[in-house]
Amino acid sequence: MKSCFSVLIALFVTNCFLLEGSSHLLGRKPSKLTKVLGFSWQNCGKPDDPANLKSLDISPDPIPIPGRLTADAKGTTSVELASPLSVNVTVEREVAGMWVKIPCLDEIGSCHYPNVCDLLNQLIPPPQDCPEPLHTYGLPCHCPFKAGDYALPSSEIDIPDVELPGWLTNGKYRVEGILGSSGKELGCLKISFSLHSSKN
């Protein structure tokens, strides 16, 4: 599942950079992310969506930040994922037993990204090698992502220090990402987790 997992990892790294930048842009005291707990995932797309994640195992729980996690994944895409490749993200936080949508602030939160391919090229300018573990296993990090069934063997991934904007506080979150192209849904992934941070 070169395509799905490469997009997933690349977006995670991109959001780490965006989170750090937004805390300074908003002029609010940032928090330092110390751990992620209770990570879970599920496909949320239609039965005939061409891109699906078949498995994703991440350990340990909680994930220490900074620290190291171990991940393995399998998935499939029946079509080539090419530019323009959009992602519509919805982020919700549990507040007093209710799920509240977090708005899009400086490209963080419930945002629409019209072309993830451009974001990937900005983060990892071609012909720069893809980051680990993608490089070791020949997994791409730039569009287009070819159709096929793929797997990422169990791999260790180093997680750097991450600063969160002041408005992104401790609590339970759920994130839904819908992958699309030319107005057609290609896949949908929903993840849930809890954040624990400390004030700098």
Side-chain angles (χ1 to χ4, degrees), residues 34-133:
T34 59
K35 57 186 172 182
V36 176
L37 307 91
F39 178 90
S40 64
W41 68 276
Q42 66 182 62
N43 287 304
C44 49
K46 302 171 185 175
D48 59 347
D49 277 356
N52 283 282
L53 192 61
K54 298 296 186 184
S55 68
L56 173 60
D57 296 311
I58 294 178
S59 62
D61 186 7
I63 300 167
I65 310 291
R68 179 173 291 183
L69 64 81
T70 301
D72 63 84
K74 294 180 181 179
T76 184
T77 176
S78 60
V79 299
E80 182 178 78
L81 304 180
S83 181
L85 192 63
S86 67
V87 176
N88 194 52
V89 177
T90 301
V91 181
E92 296 176 306
R93 179 174 182 261
E94 187 178 39
V95 179
M98 299 179 61
W99 289 100
V100 178
K101 183 177 178 179
I102 296 176
C104 185
L105 298 172
D106 292 294
E107 298 188 5
I108 300 297
S110 300
C111 303
H112 175 72
Y113 303 96
N115 194 356
V116 176
C117 299
D118 289 343
L119 289 177
L120 296 178
N121 288 338
Q122 291 172 23
L123 179 64
I124 312 166
Q128 182 177 322
D129 287 340
C130 295
E132 295 298 343

Side-chain angles (χ1 to χ4, degrees), residues 4 21 25 33 36 38 43 68 72 86 109-110 122 128 131-133 139 142 146 160 165 172 178 182 195-196:
C4 300
L25 289 171
L33 181 61
V36 176
N43 287 304
R68 179 173 291 183
D72 63 84
S86 67
S110 300
Q122 291 172 23
Q128 182 177 322
E132 295 298 343
L139 304 180
H142 298 104
K146 295 181 179 180
K172 294 181 179 180
I178 299 176
S182 302
L195 295 182
H196 188 274

Side-chain angles (χ1 to χ4, degrees), residues 152-174:
L152 176 79
S154 182
S155 302
E156 291 187 340
I157 301 172
D158 290 320
I159 306 298
D161 276 316
V162 177
E163 286 191 348
L164 301 176
W167 50 266
L168 197 56
T169 59
N170 293 347
K172 294 181 179 180
Y173 292 84
R174 61 186 185 189

